[in-house]
Structures are given as structure tokens and as C-alpha cells.
Amino acid sequence: MAIADIHEDIIKTHILTRLDGQTLAAAGCTSTQLQTLCSDHKLWSDICSSNWPSIADPLVSQAISNFPSGYRSFYSDSFPSPSHHLSTTTSSPPTTNIISSVDIRYHDELIFSKAESTNTTPSDWFQSSPFRIDLLGPKEIVPSAVKFAGEDQTLLSNLEKNMTLSWIMIDPSQNRGVNLSSVNPVSVQRNWLTGDLEVTFAVVIVPAFLLHNKDYVNCNIQITCGVKEVCGVLNVSRVSLTVLDMDSKCLSGKESMVILQGLTVAQRRRRRYSGGGEEQKERYDEFIRKRRERKENMERKERRVDMACVASGVAVFMAFWSFALSW
């Protein structure tokens, strides 16, 4: 039996509903009939809701309704990774707000989900201040149902292997979105001072139009977790996004919005949610290595300048002393 011989209701109800987003998009390219069936709004709505529960928030669903093809356009923007090279800026005017749709999972179990709007209205204060989005208050803690037991190294390893995060930024002025997360952690370590667990997700890009061509910019997402000693329950106490330069300094609001708005319209690269974080981790490790080399080079230059100053001072002193003795 050919696919065309199957009743459309059976295809829509019993076949297409079992497909993921990538397979559904591929199926829609095979025939005119399937293209029509695969463009169903509810199919894409269900797929997006399954991947990103935070989009159920009215703030996000309203924004998605303005996308050219609704949830299908949203999936097309949010599932792939943005390009590593950002060579052009967006021509759109500065937006007055951006929407963050964030979901954190451990072993596919949802442990954190939140949508939040950030005011980005251009002003002297916003454009010159360091850009940062915090989804939790200073004393806010979100508990989860995840429990840990065992050695510290095992805990770090489990978080690195099994925690995933999606941070979708929506720009309502362009009706576009982009996933700013590496999906899998690029770094997991324990803070030596507080004892908290710091899980880092990052997308490293080269914005040739903003900084030097060889510089990197890191869309850095920091998750701070804790584990209660008594019951071993994992909790989340910080979820934040910053845009860092090679010196680990936060870019200003003006520079960060140029980067973020540029990423929403940048080319996309295919991403695999399962085991697809190796490339992002390699780029992050390269970013850290370049940053360390940059710091070492600056320290060497400063030492040479210090030595030159000392040598000049000694030379002046000797000349003065010789002049004094000659009298």
C-alpha cells in the first residue's frame, strides 16, 4: 500500500503524531499531500511544547503566534544552533524587550522551567551598563525531585552527562527566536568558596563586525545548584545569562543586543540534542585557552614594561650619581 492510499485522518492521527520535528519537516518535503498534512498547526505546537514546556506561558505563546508560520517557524529557529561566525548585524531597529524561554532537565526530567520578559528599551543606563539576565532572585531556590548519593566526582560527572538546558531568546520586533544554549554543559565544577555546583552552558561565536576578527564572544549561561546533605535533593539557586568578551568582562547592553539580535537572524547549523555537545565544548575549551594565552601575553608585556621602567630608573640614578661625584 502506498502512502497516498492511506486515509488522511490515519496519517495525521497515527503516523505524523509519532514523529519528531526533524522527521516531520523531512516528511513534508516528499509530496504535496504530506507537505499540507505536515504543516498542521497542532502538530508543531505539540512538538514544541514537548521540547520546551516553558512556551506554555502566555507571554511566549503570544509571541509565537506572530511568527510567519507560528510554531513551525519557532521550531525552525530554536532547534538548530546559531552560526559560530556572526559577520553581519541585523538591520532591524533596537527592540524594547526580549523574551527568555528556559527549560532545564536532568535525565529528561524537567527540574526548572520559566519564561520571562526583559526590558531592553534603549537608554543611557541600559546601553552602557553590563548586560545580564537573572531568572531567580538572590535568595530564591527551586527544589527538584532529583536525588544524588555518592562521591563528589560522581556527582559532577552525572551533571555533565545528564543535565540539559534550553534558553530560547525571542525578539518580538523581528518575530524570530534563537537558542543560546549549548544544550549540554561545557563545564561543571564546584565553587571553592561557597561549595555550590556551577554548571556552565555556552555558545561561542566570532562577531567580526563588533570586535577584532580574532576575538571571541561567549553567550554564557550559568546555573548554580546545591545538594541538601540530609536528603541529597538537587536544587537550583541561580540561572543567569551574560555575554562575555575575551577578558571575561560583560559586554554592555548596547553591544550585547547587537550580538543577540544578530544571532536571531544568523544562519542555523544542524544540532543533535543527544550527544551533540562535543563541538560546543571544544569551542568553549578553545575560548578558555585563547583567554588564558591572552592574559599571559598581557602579563609578559607588563613585566617587560616594568623591567624597562626599572632599567630607566637605574640609568637615571647612575647618571645623577656620576654627575654628583664629578662635582
Side-chain angles (χ1 to χ4, degrees):
M1 178 182 290
I3 188 72
D5 298 328
I6 303 176
H7 196 278
E8 288 188 357
D9 290 342
I10 296 178
I11 296 176
K12 289 180 62 175
T13 307
H14 299 287
I15 297 178
L16 299 184
T17 53
R18 300 174 184 270
L19 305 182
D20 59 24
Q22 289 178 295
T23 309
L24 185 63
C29 298
T30 58
S31 70
T32 303
Q33 179 193 18
L34 283 179
Q35 182 182 25
T36 302
L37 295 176
C38 292
S39 299
D40 182 76
H41 173 82
K42 190 174 186 309
L43 281 174
W44 287 103
S45 174
D46 290 344
I47 287 174
C48 290
S49 299
S50 176
N51 281 316
W52 309 296
S54 59
I55 68 172
D57 190 292
L59 183 70
V60 182
S61 57
Q62 177 60 41
I64 295 175
S65 67
N66 295 322
F67 278 49
S69 298
Y71 286 93
R72 185 175 183 178
S73 295
F74 178 76
Y75 183 91
S76 179
D77 276 353
S78 305
F79 186 82
S81 299
S83 173
H84 289 153
H85 294 272
L86 196 59
S87 57
T88 57
T89 61
T90 173
S91 58
S92 301
T95 182
T96 58
N97 75 94
I98 55 176
I99 300 171
S100 297
S101 178
V102 182
D103 298 285
I104 305 176
R105 285 184 167 93
Y106 182 81
H107 264 313
D108 292 329
E109 180 179 343
L110 190 67
I111 62 175
F112 180 89
S113 184
K114 187 173 184 179
E116 184 163 300
S117 177
T118 302
N119 185 357
T120 59
T121 302
S123 65
D124 293 340
W125 177 86
F126 174 79
Q127 299 210 31
S128 60
S129 299
F131 177 84
R132 182 186 181 94
I133 298 177
D134 284 301
L135 298 185
L136 293 176
K139 296 183 179 181
E140 190 175 357
I141 296 177
V142 179
S144 73
V146 177
K147 293 185 178 181
F148 285 104
E151 298 180 353
D152 188 66
Q153 194 59 41
T154 302
L155 170 59
L156 297 177
S157 178
N158 286 335
L159 286 174
E160 184 173 5
K161 292 178 181 178
N162 302 313
M163 180 175 279
T164 58
L165 174 140
S166 171
W167 187 306
I168 300 174
M169 190 206 77
I170 299 173
D171 180 1
S173 68
Q174 303 182 87
N175 294 322
R176 296 292 301 270
V178 61
N179 201 330
L180 302 173
S181 172
S182 54
V183 180
N184 303 108
V186 295
S187 172
V188 179
Q189 57 186 2
R190 188 177 287 280
N191 187 297
W192 66 272
L193 182 61
T194 64
D196 292 330
L197 301 166
E198 296 179 344
V199 187
T200 303
F201 299 80
V203 170
V204 178
I205 57 173
V206 182
F209 61 86
L210 180 63
L211 302 174
H212 192 277
N213 288 342
K214 294 183 180 180
D215 279 345
Y216 292 74
V217 168
N218 174 22
C219 294
N220 193 80
I221 301 172
Q222 191 77 42
I223 311 300
T224 301
C225 303
V227 178
K228 292 185 178 180
E229 296 182 359
V230 178
C231 55
V233 173
L234 180 73
N235 58 60
V236 178
S237 57
R238 187 178 74 167
V239 182
S240 63
L241 167 68
T242 53
V243 183
L244 307 177
D245 64 11
M246 285 291 289
D247 297 321
S248 291
K249 295 180 180 178
C250 290
L251 296 186
S252 66
K254 179 180 179 180
E255 293 173 326
S256 296
M257 289 310 301
V258 171
I259 294 290
L260 297 177
Q261 284 194 283
L263 285 174
T264 60
V265 297
Q267 293 182 344
R268 299 296 193 266
R269 301 165 53 259
R270 186 176 179 182
R271 164 189 285 172
R272 292 184 302 124
Y273 266 71
S274 177
E278 293 83 1
E279 183 181 2
Q280 294 287 4
K281 190 175 189 309
E282 289 174 1
R283 289 189 61 81
Y284 179 78
D285 291 341
E286 181 183 4
F287 171 80
I288 297 298
R289 180 175 60 81
K290 292 284 187 180
R291 187 179 69 184
R292 183 170 57 251
E293 291 175 355
R294 182 187 180 98
K295 183 178 180 181
E296 291 173 351
N297 288 336
M298 292 180 63
E299 289 176 348
R300 281 195 291 268
K301 289 180 181 179
E302 290 175 357
R303 284 196 295 268
R304 287 196 291 267
V305 171
D306 290 343
M307 291 298 295
C309 291
V310 171
S312 299
V314 172
V316 170
F317 175 78
M318 294 300 295
F320 175 79
W321 185 253
S322 298
F323 178 77
L325 290 177
S326 65
W327 280 81

